[in-house]
Structure formats: C-alpha cells, structure tokens
Amino acid sequence: MSTVKTILSSIATRRTIYSLKPELPANVTLEQIKDITQAILKDTPSAFNSQPNKVIILTGEAHKQVWNQVVEAIPTEDGKKRPQSAADEAYGTILFIVDDAVTKGLQEGFPAWAAAFPDFAVTSNGAVQISTWTALSQLPGFGAHLQHYNFLKGFLGDKIGENETIQAQLVFGTKAADAGEKTYKDNEIEVISTL
Ligand SMILES: Cc1cc2nc3c(=O)[nH]c(=O)nc-3n(C[C@H](O)[C@H](O)[C@H](O)COP(=O)(O)O)c2cc1C
C-alpha cells in the first residue's frame, strides 16, 4: 500500500469505541502506546513552532481514582454512566494538555496576533488528539473514545501545573465491540479557480 493509502485507511478506520475491556490488547504494551504518542507530540505542528502541547497517560489506580471522582462530581445517574465506564472498563486515559504560559509568551512577543494564539494552541492540541487516536487505532485490538471532562484537572493534584489546561481525554483499552454505524453528510469539496 502506498503511504497515502495507508494514511487514508488509518483515518477511515479510527472510530469511537465505547465498549472496552480494562486491559491492553494482546501484543500491545504501554511502552508502545507511550512511544507512539510521544512521536506525535514531537512532530505535530504548532503556531510559531511554540509547542504548547503536553500529554500525560494515566493507568492503574490513578486512572480509576480520577474517573471515580468524576463520577462522584456528576449529579445525575445518566451523567455518571460514561465516566463510570471509563473507570471500570478502560485500561487508561491519555490527557491532552495545553500549557497556557506558552500562549501568554506568544501574546507578549507578538501582540498583533494576541487574539489568535489561544485558538492556535487548541488547534494544535486537537491535531495531537486526533493523530494519536488515529495512530493507536491501528494497533490490533486497541479501542478508544474521546471525552471532555476537563474539570478532572482538579483531581490530579500537583501532577498538573497551574498554567496547564486539560483539553480532552482519550479513554482506551481493548476493543470489546465494534463501533456503531456512522452516517456521512454530502460534503463535496468545491474547487474555485476564478471568481
Ligand atoms: C472535537 C471532538 C469532540 C468530541 N467530544 C466527544 C465527547 O465529549 N464525548 C464523546 O463520547 N465523544 C466525543 N467525540 C467523538 C465524536 O462523537 C465522534 O468522533 C463522532 O461521532 C464520529 O464517530 P467516530 O469517532 O466513530 O468516527 C468528539 C470528537 C471530536 C472530534
């Protein structure tokens, strides 16, 4: 398969997998997951090459403890379901973080662009999130879903800095069932060559 075909196939086969088992797939190690994520963190572009992104991987007791606290913080039974499944049915969580001090530094250094830098940081962080999700989804048996319980920063104590904002969580484990059906809207690209 050509490289482009491989990339397109990876993008198409990454899916939201809610049905997980709290273990790593056979033949997949935590080290591998860390190394893949590390490579993506390194190579993802950012505004002015500012590299505002950071990643933490939670496993074991840390993963369980954080998600159980999310469950406790949510008042409704329905609202508790997703975080409870993360606590009980997933192996780990990849936290995608932006260092807001980097954004502040850029705003001071380039005042003309100040208003744009927060969005630039989140854009770059989103690229890390989706590239990581896409790459890890190619590991046989791997499953994950993306969540936004960003207030869980409060349950991490001094493991996360004051200037750091959690943008998303990729909850992962062994895929226990395939993704649901997905519909696609008609969204043909328009090519404009004269106005
Ligand atoms: C920016 C973004 C935010 C998302 N937020 C959530 C979320 O908070 N909870 C959730 O269960 N899924 C979330 N998703 C997953 C989407 O619902 C999912 O990607 C979409 O329905 C398409 O399905 P697929 O991932 O299987 O292709 C998010 C996805 C993206 C890209």
Side-chain angles (χ1 to χ4, degrees), residues 14-16 18 82 129-130 133 145-148 179 182:
R14 177 224 49 80
R15 293 294 314 280
T16 293
Y18 289 120
R82 187 70 72 209
Q129 294 167 31
I130 292 178
W133 192 2
H145 53 90
L146 192 70
Q147 298 301 326
H148 295 87
K182 182 170 173 179

mmCIF file of all heavy atoms in Angstrom, residues 14-16 18 82 129-130 133 145-148 179 182, ligand 1:
data_model
loop_
_atom_site.group_PDB
_atom_site.id
_atom_site.type_symbol
_atom_site.label_atom_id
_atom_site.label_comp_id
_atom_site.label_asym_id
_atom_site.label_seq_id
_atom_site.Cartn_x
_atom_site.Cartn_y
_atom_site.Cartn_z
ATOM 1 N N ARG A 14 -10.121 4.723 12.141
ATOM 2 C CA ARG A 14 -10.224 5.232 13.522
ATOM 3 C C ARG A 14 -11.683 5.482 13.839
ATOM 4 O O ARG A 14 -12.368 6.160 13.107
ATOM 5 C CB ARG A 14 -9.454 6.565 13.670
ATOM 6 C CG ARG A 14 -9.582 7.175 15.057
ATOM 7 C CD ARG A 14 -9.833 8.671 15.011
ATOM 8 N NE ARG A 14 -10.894 9.038 14.107
ATOM 9 C CZ ARG A 14 -12.191 8.953 14.401
ATOM 10 N NH1 ARG A 14 -12.606 8.573 15.584
ATOM 11 N NH2 ARG A 14 -13.118 9.255 13.485
ATOM 12 N N ARG A 15 -12.184 4.887 14.880
ATOM 13 C CA ARG A 15 -13.586 5.100 15.244
ATOM 14 C C ARG A 15 -13.711 5.252 16.751
ATOM 15 O O ARG A 15 -12.810 4.920 17.508
ATOM 16 C CB ARG A 15 -14.435 3.872 14.793
ATOM 17 C CG ARG A 15 -14.544 3.677 13.286
ATOM 18 C CD ARG A 15 -15.307 4.774 12.573
ATOM 19 N NE ARG A 15 -16.552 5.150 13.213
ATOM 20 C CZ ARG A 15 -17.712 4.459 13.098
ATOM 21 N NH1 ARG A 15 -17.769 3.397 12.322
ATOM 22 N NH2 ARG A 15 -18.800 4.866 13.727
ATOM 23 N N THR A 16 -14.843 5.777 17.160
ATOM 24 C CA THR A 16 -15.168 5.860 18.581
ATOM 25 C C THR A 16 -15.597 4.477 19.064
ATOM 26 O O THR A 16 -16.574 3.918 18.561
ATOM 27 C CB THR A 16 -16.321 6.867 18.793
ATOM 28 O OG1 THR A 16 -15.845 8.173 18.481
ATOM 29 C CG2 THR A 16 -16.827 6.827 20.230
ATOM 30 N N TYR A 18 -16.792 2.659 22.354
ATOM 31 C CA TYR A 18 -17.208 2.827 23.755
ATOM 32 C C TYR A 18 -17.097 1.518 24.540
ATOM 33 O O TYR A 18 -16.968 1.547 25.756
ATOM 34 C CB TYR A 18 -18.659 3.320 23.825
ATOM 35 C CG TYR A 18 -18.840 4.745 23.378
ATOM 36 C CD1 TYR A 18 -19.674 5.053 22.302
ATOM 37 C CD2 TYR A 18 -18.200 5.797 24.036
ATOM 38 C CE1 TYR A 18 -19.853 6.370 21.880
ATOM 39 C CE2 TYR A 18 -18.363 7.111 23.624
ATOM 40 C CZ TYR A 18 -19.194 7.388 22.553
ATOM 41 O OH TYR A 18 -19.368 8.696 22.149
ATOM 42 N N ARG A 82 -21.000 7.435 31.536
ATOM 43 C CA ARG A 82 -19.782 7.424 30.708
ATOM 44 C C ARG A 82 -18.516 7.418 31.584
ATOM 45 O O ARG A 82 -17.630 6.583 31.378
ATOM 46 C CB ARG A 82 -19.802 8.602 29.728
ATOM 47 C CG ARG A 82 -18.677 8.573 28.717
ATOM 48 C CD ARG A 82 -18.804 7.476 27.689
ATOM 49 N NE ARG A 82 -19.852 7.731 26.724
ATOM 50 C CZ ARG A 82 -20.541 6.781 26.107
ATOM 51 N NH1 ARG A 82 -20.294 5.511 26.355
ATOM 52 N NH2 ARG A 82 -21.493 7.079 25.236
ATOM 53 N N GLN A 129 -4.452 15.234 19.477
ATOM 54 C CA GLN A 129 -5.505 14.297 19.905
ATOM 55 C C GLN A 129 -5.883 13.329 18.782
ATOM 56 O O GLN A 129 -5.907 12.112 18.969
ATOM 57 C CB GLN A 129 -6.768 15.073 20.295
ATOM 58 C CG GLN A 129 -6.636 15.962 21.512
ATOM 59 C CD GLN A 129 -7.808 16.915 21.653
ATOM 60 O OE1 GLN A 129 -8.928 16.604 21.259
ATOM 61 N NE2 GLN A 129 -7.570 18.084 22.228
ATOM 62 N N ILE A 130 -6.170 13.899 17.612
ATOM 63 C CA ILE A 130 -6.717 13.041 16.546
ATOM 64 C C ILE A 130 -5.633 12.190 15.899
ATOM 65 O O ILE A 130 -5.863 11.025 15.564
ATOM 66 C CB ILE A 130 -7.532 13.890 15.559
ATOM 67 C CG1 ILE A 130 -8.780 14.382 16.323
ATOM 68 C CG2 ILE A 130 -7.951 13.083 14.332
ATOM 69 C CD1 ILE A 130 -9.703 15.284 15.574
ATOM 70 N N TRP A 133 -5.155 9.326 18.390
ATOM 71 C CA TRP A 133 -6.304 8.418 18.301
ATOM 72 C C TRP A 133 -6.197 7.575 17.025
ATOM 73 O O TRP A 133 -6.385 6.357 17.040
ATOM 74 C CB TRP A 133 -7.572 9.263 18.307
ATOM 75 C CG TRP A 133 -8.884 8.585 18.492
ATOM 76 C CD1 TRP A 133 -9.129 7.262 18.705
ATOM 77 C CD2 TRP A 133 -10.169 9.228 18.473
ATOM 78 N NE1 TRP A 133 -10.473 7.038 18.822
ATOM 79 C CE2 TRP A 133 -11.133 8.236 18.687
ATOM 80 C CE3 TRP A 133 -10.586 10.539 18.295
ATOM 81 C CZ2 TRP A 133 -12.505 8.512 18.733
ATOM 82 C CZ3 TRP A 133 -11.937 10.827 18.345
ATOM 83 C CH2 TRP A 133 -12.886 9.824 18.557
ATOM 84 N N HIS A 145 -12.219 6.083 23.102
ATOM 85 C CA HIS A 145 -13.178 7.163 22.829
ATOM 86 C C HIS A 145 -12.669 8.445 23.456
ATOM 87 O O HIS A 145 -11.939 8.427 24.444
ATOM 88 C CB HIS A 145 -14.592 6.810 23.311
ATOM 89 C CG HIS A 145 -14.707 6.379 24.741
ATOM 90 N ND1 HIS A 145 -14.934 7.268 25.761
ATOM 91 C CD2 HIS A 145 -14.638 5.150 25.314
ATOM 92 C CE1 HIS A 145 -15.014 6.606 26.911
ATOM 93 N NE2 HIS A 145 -14.820 5.321 26.677
ATOM 94 N N LEU A 146 -13.085 9.572 22.843
ATOM 95 C CA LEU A 146 -12.569 10.878 23.259
ATOM 96 C C LEU A 146 -13.582 11.572 24.169
ATOM 97 O O LEU A 146 -14.766 11.660 23.819
ATOM 98 C CB LEU A 146 -12.327 11.734 22.016
ATOM 99 C CG LEU A 146 -11.528 13.021 22.225
ATOM 100 C CD1 LEU A 146 -10.059 12.707 22.534
ATOM 101 C CD2 LEU A 146 -11.607 13.926 20.979
ATOM 102 N N GLN A 147 -13.121 12.047 25.314
ATOM 103 C CA GLN A 147 -14.012 12.709 26.274
ATOM 104 C C GLN A 147 -13.509 14.097 26.631
ATOM 105 O O GLN A 147 -12.351 14.435 26.366
ATOM 106 C CB GLN A 147 -14.146 11.849 27.534
ATOM 107 C CG GLN A 147 -14.766 10.488 27.273
ATOM 108 C CD GLN A 147 -16.169 10.577 26.667
ATOM 109 O OE1 GLN A 147 -16.930 11.501 26.976
ATOM 110 N NE2 GLN A 147 -16.501 9.643 25.795
ATOM 111 N N HIS A 148 -14.407 14.874 27.278
ATOM 112 C CA HIS A 148 -14.075 16.270 27.637
ATOM 113 C C HIS A 148 -14.524 16.607 29.048
ATOM 114 O O HIS A 148 -15.212 17.607 29.263
ATOM 115 C CB HIS A 148 -14.684 17.227 26.611
ATOM 116 C CG HIS A 148 -14.085 17.045 25.266
ATOM 117 N ND1 HIS A 148 -14.561 16.126 24.366
ATOM 118 C CD2 HIS A 148 -12.985 17.607 24.700
ATOM 119 C CE1 HIS A 148 -13.800 16.140 23.293
ATOM 120 N NE2 HIS A 148 -12.831 17.028 23.465
ATOM 121 N N ALA A 179 -17.429 -0.323 16.542
ATOM 122 C CA ALA A 179 -18.078 0.989 16.591
ATOM 123 C C ALA A 179 -19.499 0.885 16.049
ATOM 124 O O ALA A 179 -19.811 -0.007 15.258
ATOM 125 C CB ALA A 179 -17.274 1.980 15.753
ATOM 126 N N LYS A 182 -22.112 4.725 11.309
ATOM 127 C CA LYS A 182 -21.808 6.149 11.159
ATOM 128 C C LYS A 182 -22.422 6.646 9.859
ATOM 129 O O LYS A 182 -22.318 5.979 8.836
ATOM 130 C CB LYS A 182 -20.285 6.332 11.147
ATOM 131 C CG LYS A 182 -19.816 7.759 11.055
ATOM 132 C CD LYS A 182 -18.304 7.837 11.304
ATOM 133 C CE LYS A 182 -17.775 9.230 11.052
ATOM 134 N NZ LYS A 182 -16.340 9.337 11.315
HETATM 135 C C1 LIG B 1 -13.610 17.611 18.869
HETATM 136 C C2 LIG B 1 -14.361 16.368 19.234
HETATM 137 C C3 LIG B 1 -15.068 16.328 20.416
HETATM 138 C C4 LIG B 1 -15.698 15.144 20.809
HETATM 139 N N1 LIG B 1 -16.275 15.072 22.044
HETATM 140 C C5 LIG B 1 -16.777 13.912 22.470
HETATM 141 C C6 LIG B 1 -17.248 13.782 23.797
HETATM 142 O O1 LIG B 1 -17.149 14.716 24.596
HETATM 143 N N2 LIG B 1 -17.798 12.598 24.164
HETATM 144 C C7 LIG B 1 -17.883 11.544 23.301
HETATM 145 O O2 LIG B 1 -18.386 10.496 23.705
HETATM 146 N N3 LIG B 1 -17.401 11.627 22.046
HETATM 147 C C8 LIG B 1 -16.851 12.781 21.618
HETATM 148 N N4 LIG B 1 -16.337 12.879 20.349
HETATM 149 C C9 LIG B 1 -16.463 11.745 19.441
HETATM 150 C C10 LIG B 1 -17.470 12.023 18.324
HETATM 151 O O3 LIG B 1 -18.774 11.926 18.832
HETATM 152 C C11 LIG B 1 -17.219 11.008 17.210
HETATM 153 O O4 LIG B 1 -15.903 11.189 16.752
HETATM 154 C C12 LIG B 1 -18.195 11.179 16.055
HETATM 155 O O5 LIG B 1 -19.496 10.820 16.432
HETATM 156 C C13 LIG B 1 -17.804 10.341 14.847
HETATM 157 O O6 LIG B 1 -17.689 8.983 15.193
HETATM 158 P P1 LIG B 1 -16.316 8.203 15.015
HETATM 159 O O7 LIG B 1 -15.353 8.737 16.043
HETATM 160 O O8 LIG B 1 -16.648 6.757 15.271
HETATM 161 O O9 LIG B 1 -15.813 8.443 13.633
HETATM 162 C C14 LIG B 1 -15.688 14.024 19.952
HETATM 163 C C15 LIG B 1 -14.993 14.095 18.750
HETATM 164 C C16 LIG B 1 -14.330 15.232 18.403
HETATM 165 C C17 LIG B 1 -13.528 15.243 17.142
#
